[in-house]
Amino acid sequence: LRKQEISVDTLTEGIFKGDKAMLAKAITLLESTQPTHFEKANAVVEKCLSRPVESIRLGITGVPGVGKSSFIETLGTTLTALGKKVAVLAVDPSSSLSKGSILGDKTRMQALSNDPNAFIRPSPSGSSLGGVAQKTRESIMLCEAAGYDVVLVETVGVGQSEIAVHSMVDFFLLLKLSGAGDELQGIKRGIMEMADAIAINKADGSNVEKAKLAVTEFQRALHLYPPKQNGWIPKVMKCSASENTGVREIWDMVEDFARQNKENGFFEKNRKNQNKNWFLQTVDDHLKQFFHQKPAFIKVQNELLKEIEQNKVSPFYAAKLLLDKITKEL
Amino acid sequence: LRKQEISVDTLTEGIFKGDKAMLAKAITLLESTQPTHFEKANAVVEKCLSRPVESIRLGITGVPGVGKSSFIETLGTTLTALGKKVAVLAVDPSSSLSKGSILGDKTRMQALSNDPNAFIRPSPSGSSLGGVAQKTRESIMLCEAAGYDVVLVETVGVGQSEIAVHSMVDFFLLLKLSGAGDELQGIKRGIMEMADAIAINKADGSNVEKAKLAVTEFQRALHLYPPKQNGWIPKVMKCSASENTGVREIWDMVEDFARQNKENGFFEKNRKNQNKNWFLQTVDDHLKQFFHQKPAFIKVQNELLKEIEQNKVSPFYAAKLLLDKITKEL
């Protein structure tokens, strides 16, 4: 692989200069499952962390069909027009099966992907959401070191991937459609709870009136949740990504949020808490990797897999045997 | 806690007798985060594994609103009428935030929850899908030891929880509605691929014609997937859980599947592969727990958390420091 020939210093310097190709290569190393790549990627991340950048990290979620791509396209081009550098990342655990269901197709964001001040990267594939999320978190750091001062993290609209993205962003935006029925509300309660704002998208043409009603309805619904610790009252706004209305207003709100939270200290506090969780997750990941590379561990594990195949031992008891053996050696 | 006073033997004997209260208590221990409960639960699971039961494990998925609860209610009562004992479990990672969004409300399955031959248990809450899935897997074993010969595992309709449930069942059923639009198809490709059958639910009244069309459409769609290793061709059927039509036919199909797969050896082969994965996951979980209980590990970890709080060290580098320290001692 040619990638391996590029040194940590070359990669890091490239990133510091804002070289997109080097940034992309470093992220590819990060996403690799090869131990040598992993070591190199770690060294790059460590160097990048020494160069802090003032940034806003914005998580964006919503079910398929809500218009996430066109919203990001419109928001992204709005931001680059304001002189900002925008990175777009994605967390989509389902892409491990269906390969790149979100952000996979760059043609969905044509203007943004041709914008010199934008960097778009599809979701890493991975066997677990934890792994996918971890890599995205580290990719955020690399993008920030490359000078991207707004990082948009997109995710699909159901379940744990939202929790993962919420744990790595400053602001969490939920996109909704008007009149989509509220049968989904039950399952989404947790996501509603995490949202710092809800944007009713596709508020254009004959949808405008319905969108206004939806704004009122969601404002009422949000009042039922306990107030946020940082004092922020979640906002509900409407927009049309395709007609570029309301999108700039949403960004202004995000900046208001950041200003307000920097003043009251919650911006910094939230990032510190996120850092602590990041640390704990990294420790768990590395612990696992450490054992899975030990020959003695691999040997016993393979023997037990054979015994399970022959129905000689239950998977549960086999795990106990392996652990007893390994931990006795400690 | 009174629960702690009950011995492993009492619990296990209770389960073997089919005592629902004891089964529920054992599952509660399994779901506890206390180490003493965990040890006890492990001992119960080990004993239960020594008593194999002929069973069918059926995974059921579908988006909210597709009628999973009423389908399970109708299928469950159909099965108990056939003399079977039915356990219903759920894997719902989102319930960790929103507390019990599926199966949480037993009133949704009134007939089944009052049926002496049925046992219903909501999704365990947990910080990770892996943890939730692991506990459900072990709960399946306890239910089977208690004589439940059909285990239904319900999950929500998007993403990784399906992969988890698919990895613990013999047959995976996807519930769909007719005319629900196929904008969701893209994201669901992975789930379509896992399905052994698709059932078009709510095929009643004015929906019958639409349901027939949907059956044809899905049959066509399924043809695009590579054939399954076991030779099974995924079926598409329609049903109405509320009118109790088509549900018995779906069960007959599941039994056909089981018969055919037992004959060609794939039933056993699939369970063995699932056991191997279960083993590997259990090992990882226990490894993690092992360290997190070590005082030296906890001490260094807490010190580093403080340094992260004070911005003295990056989370990424802190993880490296902790790992270096711990692994040097090995």
Side-chain angles (χ1 to χ4, degrees), chain B residues 7 20 49 80 119 169 174-175 187-188 204 214 221 224 239 245 264 282 297 305 309 328:
Chain B
S7 73
K20 280 193 209 183
L49 283 168
T80 57
F119 175 80
V169 297
L174 171 60
L175 293 184
I187 196 87
K188 295 263 190 187
D204 41 41
L224 301 173
C239 67
T245 54
N264 64 22
T282 308
F297 184 88
L305 281 170
E309 170 74 36
K328 217 167 271 167

Side-chain angles (χ1 to χ4, degrees), chain B residues 91-227:
Chain B
V91 171
D92 178 10
S94 67
S95 73
S96 59
L97 264 175
S98 56
K99 290 291 164 210
S101 50
I102 55 175
L103 284 185
D105 185 4
K106 278 204 188 184
T107 56
R108 286 163 63 214
M109 298 186 192
Q110 232 162 0
L112 200 59
S113 56
N114 291 320
D115 192 320
N117 285 318
F119 175 80
I120 300 180
R121 179 86 185 185
S123 180
S125 61
S127 60
S128 76
L129 171 60
V132 169
Q134 195 74 341
K135 282 160 186 190
T136 304
R137 208 184 283 269
E138 285 150 21
S139 299
I140 291 176
M141 305 302 146
L142 297 185
C143 291
E144 290 179 355
Y148 292 89
D149 45 7
V150 180
V151 183
L152 307 178
V153 187
E154 176 185 4
T155 189
V156 286
V158 180
Q160 289 224 318
S161 58
E162 272 68 23
I163 303 176
V165 170
H166 183 254
S167 78
M168 62 179 83
V169 297
D170 305 312
F171 191 99
F172 195 67
L173 177 67
L174 171 60
L175 293 184
K176 289 289 254 177
L177 293 181
S178 55
D182 47 13
E183 67 276 19
L184 285 172
Q185 237 66 301
I187 196 87
K188 295 263 190 187
R189 215 157 30 141
I191 292 168
M192 288 269 288
E193 234 170 298
M194 290 191 290
D196 295 303
I198 295 174
I200 314 293
N201 194 22
K202 302 192 184 174
D204 41 41
S206 59
N207 271 326
V208 174
E209 283 311 307
K210 274 203 287 181
K212 278 184 192 163
L213 283 174
V215 167
T216 316
E217 198 181 316
F218 278 113
Q219 270 167 342
R220 205 177 298 136
L222 283 176
H223 269 292
L224 301 173
Y225 292 101

Side-chain angles (χ1 to χ4, degrees), chain B residues 122 221 293:
Chain B
Q293 284 164 17

Side-chain angles (χ1 to χ4, degrees), chain A residues 188-252:
Chain A
K188 297 263 189 179
R189 217 163 22 148
I191 292 168
M192 288 268 287
E193 234 170 298
M194 289 191 289
D196 295 302
I198 295 174
I200 314 293
N201 193 21
K202 301 190 185 175
D204 41 41
S206 59
N207 270 324
V208 174
E209 283 311 308
K210 274 203 288 182
K212 279 186 192 163
L213 284 173
V215 167
T216 316
E217 198 182 313
F218 278 112
Q219 271 168 340
R220 205 178 295 135
L222 282 176
H223 270 292
L224 301 173
Y225 293 101
K228 304 217 171 210
Q229 258 202 311
N230 57 11
W232 175 257
I233 296 159
K235 305 289 179 290
V236 187
M237 299 175 83
K238 58 185 169 51
C239 66
S240 165
S242 61
E243 298 193 346
N244 195 357
T245 53
V247 175
R248 174 63 198 267
E249 286 78 2
I250 289 169
W251 177 251
D252 290 341

Side-chain angles (χ1 to χ4, degrees), chain A residues 250-302:
Chain A
I250 289 169
W251 177 251
D252 290 341
M253 171 194 58
V254 173
E255 286 204 318
D256 272 351
F257 172 92
R259 202 175 306 121
Q260 188 177 316
N261 275 270
K262 277 176 186 171
E263 277 170 20
N264 65 21
F266 272 97
F267 193 91
E268 178 74 8
K269 191 178 171 186
N270 183 47
R271 285 212 172 173
K272 277 181 180 173
N273 285 335
Q274 291 180 341
N275 278 344
K276 287 185 203 167
N277 286 326
W278 183 22
F279 161 67
L280 295 173
Q281 280 169 28
T282 308
V283 167
D284 285 343
D285 279 10
H286 289 197
L287 263 183
K288 197 169 136 178
Q289 259 155 0
F290 172 77
F291 282 99
H292 285 266
Q293 285 165 16
K294 274 179 97 111
F297 183 89
I298 296 170
K299 187 170 166 279
V300 178
Q301 184 166 277
N302 287 340

Side-chain angles (χ1 to χ4, degrees), chain A residues 31-102:
Chain A
E31 294 173 357
S32 164
T33 49
Q34 280 195 39
T36 53
H37 291 176
F38 179 76
E39 296 264 319
K40 194 180 247 184
N42 278 1
V44 174
V45 173
E46 261 180 59
K47 291 202 173 209
C48 285
L49 283 168
S50 67
R51 197 179 188 250
V53 169
E54 205 43 31
S55 70
I56 292 186
R57 303 168 190 162
L58 173 60
I60 297 172
T61 189
V63 294
V66 79
K68 285 193 293 296
S69 297
S70 54
F71 180 82
I72 290 171
E73 167 98 336
T74 306
L75 176 61
T77 48
T78 303
L79 292 171
T80 57
L82 290 171
K84 300 202 175 287
K85 285 186 70 181
V86 180
V88 184
L89 306 171
V91 172
D92 177 10
S94 66
S95 74
S96 59
L97 263 175
S98 56
K99 289 292 163 209
S101 49
I102 55 175

